[in-house]
Amino acid sequence: MYEIGVVHRNIERAEARLADKLAAFGSATVHEAMGRVGLMKPFMRPIYPGAQVAGTAVTVLLQPGDNWMLHVAAEQIRAGDVVVAAVTSECTDGFFGELLGTSFKARGARALVIDAGCRDVKALTEIGFPVWSRAISAKGTIKATLGSVNIPVVCAVALVHPGDVIVADVDGVVCVPRAAAAATLEAATKREAHETEKRTELASGVLGLDMYKMRDTLKAAGLRYID
Amino acid sequence: MYEIGVVHRNIERAEARLADKLAAFGSATVHEAMGRVGLMKPFMRPIYPGAQVAGTAVTVLLQPGDNWMLHVAAEQIRAGDVVVAAVTSECTDGFFGELLGTSFKARGARALVIDAGCRDVKALTEIGFPVWSRAISAKGTIKATLGSVNIPVVCAVALVHPGDVIVADVDGVVCVPRAAAAATLEAATKREAHETEKRTELASGVLGLDMYKMRDTLKAAGLRYID
Amino acid sequence: MYEIGVVHRNIERAEARLADKLAAFGSATVHEAMGRVGLMKPFMRPIYPGAQVAGTAVTVLLQPGDNWMLHVAAEQIRAGDVVVAAVTSECTDGFFGELLGTSFKARGARALVIDAGCRDVKALTEIGFPVWSRAISAKGTIKATLGSVNIPVVCAVALVHPGDVIVADVDGVVCVPRAAAAATLEAATKREAHETEKRTELASGVLGLDMYKMRDTLKAAGLRYID
Amino acid sequence: MYEIGVVHRNIERAEARLADKLAAFGSATVHEAMGRVGLMKPFMRPIYPGAQVAGTAVTVLLQPGDNWMLHVAAEQIRAGDVVVAAVTSECTDGFFGELLGTSFKARGARALVIDAGCRDVKALTEIGFPVWSRAISAKGTIKATLGSVNIPVVCAVALVHPGDVIVADVDGVVCVPRAAAAATLEAATKREAHETEKRTELASGVLGLDMYKMRDTLKAAGLRYID
Amino acid sequence: MYEIGVVHRNIERAEARLADKLAAFGSATVHEAMGRVGLMKPFMRPIYPGAQVAGTAVTVLLQPGDNWMLHVAAEQIRAGDVVVAAVTSECTDGFFGELLGTSFKARGARALVIDAGCRDVKALTEIGFPVWSRAISAKGTIKATLGSVNIPVVCAVALVHPGDVIVADVDGVVCVPRAAAAATLEAATKREAHETEKRTELASGVLGLDMYKMRDTLKAAGLRYID
Amino acid sequence: MYEIGVVHRNIERAEARLADKLAAFGSATVHEAMGRVGLMKPFMRPIYPGAQVAGTAVTVLLQPGDNWMLHVAAEQIRAGDVVVAAVTSECTDGFFGELLGTSFKARGARALVIDAGCRDVKALTEIGFPVWSRAISAKGTIKATLGSVNIPVVCAVALVHPGDVIVADVDGVVCVPRAAAAATLEAATKREAHETEKRTELASGVLGLDMYKMRDTLKAAGLRYID
C-alpha cells in the first residue's frame, strides 16, 4: 500500500561507484546478472536516442494529471540520482518538461524514469537530460493533490525502493535493489567477460548448437531433422 | 527484486475475521477507506458474474507460459486464503483451469487473482471457484522453470505481500496490507454508514451541490452559469 | 476547443417523443439510418446486460481523476436526459458510482455514457441505472478542477452537442444531432420495415446473392468460382 | 499470400461425426490434445454466454469495412459448417448482424468466427446464432471490394484451411486441421479420461506435487523451502 | 454528425501570420496557452524527427481503407495549409504516401495530420513533407466511397474545424480554433517570456518549491517530512 | 496447425536475384504489386533507421520466453536469408540480442523479423544487423521447450513459408510467396515506372483528380461542392 503525503528525507543510497559501473553494462546484461528480474515493462522508452545511464533512485508517487510531487522531489535529489516516478492510475499526460528538466539537472539528477508522459522533448534533448517514459504528450498537469516522495513505488510494473540502482538504456530500464548492487556488478562483470569470448567464436561461424553443446539435449527433447 | 526459487512456508496472515468483514464492503469502499491506493489495474476481471470475496494472500511468482509454481503454492494454502499470482513478463496464457481449481478449492482457497490468463471457465463456474484474471485463454502452459511462493509480488501493478487481505468483486481487486487491515475495516465501516445517509438524501432529489456544500467552492474556482 | 468553467443552463433538447421512438430501433439501425456516422468507439460497453435506452444529452467535460463536474451536471438534468461525459485526457478511473447514480436517477436521467471508468456496478445494476463506459474501476476520484457542463464534447470519438439524442444498447452508443432526429426516425422506420421482409426471405433459405441481385456485380468485379 | 477474388466451391470437409464429438471436449482440451497449437488469440470472445460448438470451416477473406464476401460465403455453407472470417487489415466494424445471421442459420451454419466486429447482438442471441468476434460494434459496412471464399486464411493469428474443424467455447477458438481431426479426437478422449481421475484425487485434497511426483524435480531445479 | 459527400470550397482561414508565429512556440506552450484543451491524443507521432510546423486546417473525412477524399482535398489546399484527416472507423492502413505527398507539397501544404497510417516514409522524409500519424503501414487503400472535405472532424479525439490553426511538433498536435488564434498567440507569448525567467532561476539551483512558493500550500494539504 | 519439434533442412528458396531486386522497391510497392496482400501488421518496426532488405525466409516457431530454436535455426541459414520468427503466444521478451546477431550475420543472414521482442539494440546497430520486431525488451529468455524450424508460420498475422521472399523497410514487412516472386517483381517494376511519371506530373501541380480522371466518378457517386 502506498503511504500518501509523506516525504522521506533520509534514504540510504547504493554506493555511487556501483551505479557508475553498472551503467556501462546496460540493462540487458544487468537484468540477466540479477537472474532475469527487476525489469520495467517494454513500453518505457527513451525520449531521445543514445542515452545510457545509471543512478540511485529518488522515488515519487504522483496522482493522475498532477505533477506537484515532482517539485517536492527536486529538493531531495543529490548528484548521481535518477528520479523514478509512478502514478496512482494510468495516465499519459506530460508531467515533465523543460523547466523541471532544468531544475532536476541543476540539482544533479542524471535522468527521469516516469510511468506516464513527458513533453518538451526538443528542449530536453538540447539540454541533454534523458527521460524514459511511457508516452510523449504536450498535455499539461495541475498541482492539487498530494502524493509521496521516497516511498517504495511500482513503476512500469517494477518495484523500486529509494536508493536502489536504476540502469536505463535503449533496451529498457532495470532496478537493482541496493543490497544486491555489489553482487549484481560482480555477476555482470563475469557475464560480460564470458560473452566476449562467445562473441568471437560466433563471429567466426561456430554455431551456438556446438558452442553451448545443445545437440544432445535437443535430441533428447525429441527434435527431428527432416531432409 | 524478486527472489527466484524460494517458498516461504511461514507467513503471517491478517486475521480471518478482518478479511471476512472487508468482503462485505467491496473493493470500491475498501479502496477509498485506504486512501485510494492498493488497487489493481482495471484489466483484472472476474471470470463469472456475482463473485465477491476477501481472503489472505498466498503469493506466487510465475514464469511466462509456465504454471509449475501454482502446484507448489497449493500446498501453502490454508482455509480462507486467496492466491495472488504474478508473472515475470506479460502473458495471457491459461495458467489455471479446472484441475488446479479443484485442488485449490479442496485446500480451502477462496479465489485466485492472476495477472495472466485462466481457462476452463465453464467448469470453474460450475464448481464455484472464482478467478480474477487479465484474460481468458485456452492456451496451456508447461512446468519447467522455477518461480517463487510467498514473496512480495507486483500483481496488475499492485504490490502484494503474503498475508495481506485481498478484496475482489465486480469493481476490481484491492490489496489491504496486513498491518492496515483493522484500520481499513474501521474506516470502511464509518464510510459506509455515512454513505447510507447520503444515498437517502440523494434519492429524495437533494443535489450533491447542496449536500456537499459545493456551490461556494465552485464559484471561487470561477465556475460561470450561462443562461 | 473546449471552454472550461462554464455551465450552460438553457439548452434546446430534441423532442422527447423522438428519443422514445429511436430507443426501440437500437444503435445499429439508427447509425445506418444516419448514413453510418455518429457512432462512439466500440470500447464503450454497458455495465450490465439488457439495457437499451435513448434520451437527450446533457454533456459534461471532466478533468482526469476528477468527478466534480458530474455533481454540477446533476442539477441540469431533466426527465428523459442521458448524461454524456468526456474527459480531457484518457483515464479509466471510476468517476461514477452508486451515490451519483442514485442522484441522477432521482433527477430523471435515463443513463450515463462516460468515456472513462465506472464503479459500484452491483449497486447500479440493482437500482437499474445503466451506464456505458470504457472501463469498470473501483478507483475513486477527487473534486478539485473545473470542467464544463452542456458544451459540445467529444465522447469516445463522437461529437455530442447538448440536446442531441443518444441511443445506447448492447451494440454501442450513437449520437443523433437534434436537427437530424426527426429525419433519422423516419429513415430508421423505413429501414426496419424493409429489414423485416428481408429477414423472412433469408430465413426461408433465399440467398442475399439473389435477394440483393449481387451476382452480376460480383462477376463484373471479377469474382471467379473454382470447382 | 492471399488469392483475391476466388471462391472455391468444392472443399473437402472433415467428417461431421469428428466435429460433433470434438465439440463436447471444448477448446482447452482440444488445444492440449493437438500439442498446444492451433489456438486463436484470446481477444476472440463469444457474443453471448453458454455457446459451445464445433463444425467444419468455410473460410472468408474480407476487406476492411466491407462485408460483401459474407454473402458470397452464405451460398457455400452446408449443414454443420462454421464460417471463419478474416480481414485484410485490422478492423472492428460490425460486419455481421441479424440478417446475415438469419441467412447463415437457414443455410445450416452453426456459428461465425470473425476477426472483426459483430452487431445485432440482442437479435443474434434471440435466434441462437453464436458468434465469436474481436469486437461488438454497431458500425455498418459496405459491399464494394472483392475478397475470397474457401482459401486458407489467418484468423486471429491461427491458420485455418477450408474444411478444418473449428471448436469454440467460452475459453476460446481452436482450429483442428482436417487431417488431424481423428487423431486429435483420440488424444482428447484419452486426456479427458485421465483428467477425470486426477480431478477426483485433487478434490480429496491430494496435492499436484504428490500426484504428479514433482517434488524431486523441483528440488533438483533448486527450489528451497524457508520456514 | 458527419455530413457525407460534401466539399466546402470556401472556408474562412485563420490569419497566416498567426499560424506562422504559433509554430515557433510548439504544441506544449500553445496547448497551455489555450487552457489545456485542443490536444490530439499522444498516439499521433511525426514520421521523421525535427519537424515543427503550423498552418490552417483543410479537413478531410475518410472511410476505412479508402483514400479517395485525399485527392479531393488536394484541390482545396492553399499555401500554408495543414491537411487534417479523420477516418469514420479506426484504421491503420497507409492512406498517404509519396505521390500524394508530392501533390500536397506542390499545392502548398505544410503537413498532413492523419488519424490513420502513412507509408513511403523514406521518400516523404527526402522531399521534406512532414506527417503526423497513428501508424506507419505499407498497406494501400482503395478509392470507392465518399467522405467529405472541409467539414468539422474529430481527429485523434480533437475537434477540428476547417480554417483552425494546427500546431504540430515532437510533443504532439494541437488545434487552435480560428477565433481563438490571436488570443492564444498573445497568451503563448506571455507564457514564454515568463518561462525564460523561470528557466534561468531553476538552472541556478533554485527550487520550484521556493520559486512557486509551494511550501505553505503543501503543508496545508498535509505533507509531512520524515527524517 | 503447427508441427512441433521438427527442422526441415531442405527448403526450396526463391531465386536470390529476385530477392535482391525486390529489396530496391520497398515494402509498399511490393505489397501493391502483389494485390495488397502478404503484409505483416504495422506493429513490426525496425530497431534502427535506414534498414531496407530482402531475402529468402528461414522460418522459426518459438515458445513464449524461450529462444532455443533460434540456435537451431542458425544452422539452417544460408547467405541471403532473412530469419522469420513467430511465437506460439504473444510475448514481448527479448529473444534475440548481440550474440545471436553475431552468429546470424556470420552465417550470412541479412536480417531477423520476429513477432516478439529484441534486445542489445545498440550492439546490433553497431554491427549492422537489422531486426524488425514488435518490441524492444531487455528481458532474457530460457532454452527449455522445442519449437520448429522451416515450417510455415504466422508472423505478425502474415503467413510465411520457408523460402518465400521477405521485403522489409521503414514502411513494414511483406512476404512474397516463392512462386509469386517473379511475377511480383515484374508488376513492381511496371508500377514503379508508372509512378515516376505520375510523380513528375503531381510535382508540377497537376491534381490527382485530373490525372486519374476522378471527377466524373466522384460526381456519379454524389459528391457535392458547396461554395
Side-chain angles (χ1 to χ4, degrees), chain A residues 144-161:
Chain A
T145 310
L146 292 187
S148 289
V149 173
N150 281 332
I151 61 166
V153 297
V154 174
C155 179
V157 187
L159 177 59
V160 179
H161 287 83

Side-chain angles (χ1 to χ4, degrees), chain C residues 17-77:
Chain C
R17 62 165 191 93
L18 295 176
D20 292 346
K21 287 186 179 163
L22 283 166
F25 289 110
S27 64
T29 296
V30 169
H31 157 70
E32 289 285 346
M34 284 186 22
R36 287 191 195 134
V37 295
L39 199 70
M40 294 190 187
K41 287 273 172 195
F43 57 66
M44 297 295 285
R45 301 298 303 147
I47 60 166
Y48 58 78
Q52 179 160 344
V53 307
T56 39
V58 162
T59 65
V60 191
L61 183 68
L62 301 162
Q63 302 289 353
D66 189 312
N67 74 349
W68 211 9
M69 285 299 117
L70 288 173
H71 288 281
V72 176
E75 192 175 26
Q76 307 307 318
I77 293 171

Side-chain angles (χ1 to χ4, degrees), chain A residues 3-10 68-69 71-76 92 98-100 102-103 106-107 118-122 135-144 146-148, chain E residues 27-29 31-32 36 39-40 42 45 52 170-173 191 195 198-200 202-212 214-215 217-218 221-227:
Chain A
E3 195 185 4
I4 300 289
V6 300
V7 182
H8 289 272
R9 269 196 287 233
N10 295 322
W68 211 9
M69 285 300 117
H71 288 282
V72 177
E75 192 175 26
Q76 307 307 317
T92 60
E98 187 186 7
L99 290 185
L100 274 165
T102 303
S103 176
R107 305 293 296 182
C118 172
R119 60 181 186 172
D120 294 340
V121 164
K122 194 181 156 195
I136 290 169
S137 171
K139 182 84 169 37
T141 51
I142 59 170
K143 298 173 204 332
L146 292 187
S148 289
Chain E
S27 64
T29 296
H31 156 71
E32 289 286 346
R36 284 185 199 140
L39 198 70
M40 293 191 188
R45 302 297 304 145
Q52 180 159 344
V170 64
D171 289 338
V173 184
R191 190 180 161 82
E195 294 228 329
K198 288 194 278 185
R199 203 155 32 220
T200 312
L202 294 167
S204 75
V206 172
L207 287 165
L209 288 178
D210 297 313
M211 192 177 77
Y212 297 109
M214 289 172 174
R215 294 193 190 272
T217 336
L218 284 163
L223 191 68
R224 291 174 298 126
Y225 284 85
I226 297 168
D227 287 326

